[in-house]
Amino acid sequence: MDLQLRDKVAWVLGASSGLGRASAESLGREGARVAVSARRAGALDEVVGAIGSSAVAVPLDVTDSAAIGTAAKEVVSRLGAIDILIVNAGGPRPGGFEATGADELARGFDLTLASAWHLAKQVVPAMKERGRGCVIFITSSSTKEVIPSLLLSNMMRAAVVGMAKTMSKELGPKGIRVLCVAPGRIETPRVVSLDENAAEASGRGISEVRNESEARIPLGRYGQPREFGDVVAFLASERASYVSGITVTVDGGALNGILS
Ligand SMILES: NC(=O)c1ccc[n+]([C@@H]2O[C@H](COP(=O)([O-])OP(=O)(O)OC[C@H]3O[C@@H](n4cnc5c(N)ncnc54)[C@H](OP(=O)(O)O)[C@@H]3O)[C@@H](O)[C@H]2O)c1
């Protein structure tokens, strides 16, 4: 199947690691010209090296709303008009309701919700003018089944889904598709370090913690980043041209709800 991504311009955020990097690499493999952003310039250069000469690095801290505009202009000047925007960043700080203070609430808002809003605000007007585009927000399976110890993720990502759904209604008539992709447990550096922390906190071995986690997944294992990135690339492509306004879950069947 030809995804018809050749020479499409994609801007992928949170692309120095994990799911963002995997999404950028999948898009790059399909021939898209990819701009990768995150804070660590050195790590971005490595990703550009892995994708090849059609990729460019545009360092950016997504909590700096003014810098988002500058970065968006740089992407357009180096690669041309943006066809695909993949919104992603690190997860907000873990903790339940009682353990979360007002400062953390504000930081979680800036990192997960406000950044998504500012990025979309920068990129969508030009998509509208051209009458085409695709915006994908990387969220979490917590938008379908809350994770009790992750208050900020549960709160902010649900708001991102609300924004995405609203955008899909408003922008569909302008030729713009808007979607969310929700990972369950994908084996990124972050997930590996979460397992290490859980093992240390409980005095158990890492393999015991991981086995317990994998036993809750019907496919019996963590997903690989490429399995996630390939779904993002497909959804961003012309082959998914009639898919908009939904959240696609990539979780090996882990969620229990019938609407998952
Ligand atoms: N992996 C999973 O199974 C899973 C499951 C559910 C939800 N998620 C969510 O999906 C997202 C990606 O997860 P991941 O596992 O790929 O995490 P990761 O490996 O930690 O990658 C996070 C990426 O975001 C970038 N980033 C963090 N803060 C940023 C900021 N302020 N500005 C710009 N870039 C920033 C990081 O790069 P720099 O450090 O270079 O900035 C990195 O490239 C996270 O929000 C995570 O909570 C992941």
Side-chain angles (χ1 to χ4, degrees), residues 29-66:
R29 266 192 300 274
E30 294 299 323
R33 290 182 297 138
V34 187
V36 290
S37 290
R39 294 165 301 179
R40 289 171 296 144
L44 290 175
D45 288 342
E46 197 190 309
V47 176
V48 165
I51 296 175
S53 58
S54 61
V56 298
V58 180
L60 169 68
D61 181 339
V62 294
T63 63
D64 181 346
S65 57

Side-chain angles (χ1 to χ4, degrees), residues 198-222:
E200 199 178 314
S202 63
R204 294 180 300 162
I206 293 171
S207 56
E208 194 185 335
V209 168
R210 180 165 174 150
N211 289 345
E212 192 179 275
S213 211
E214 287 181 329
R216 288 194 289 269
I217 302 170
L219 292 184
R221 60 177 177 84
Y222 289 175

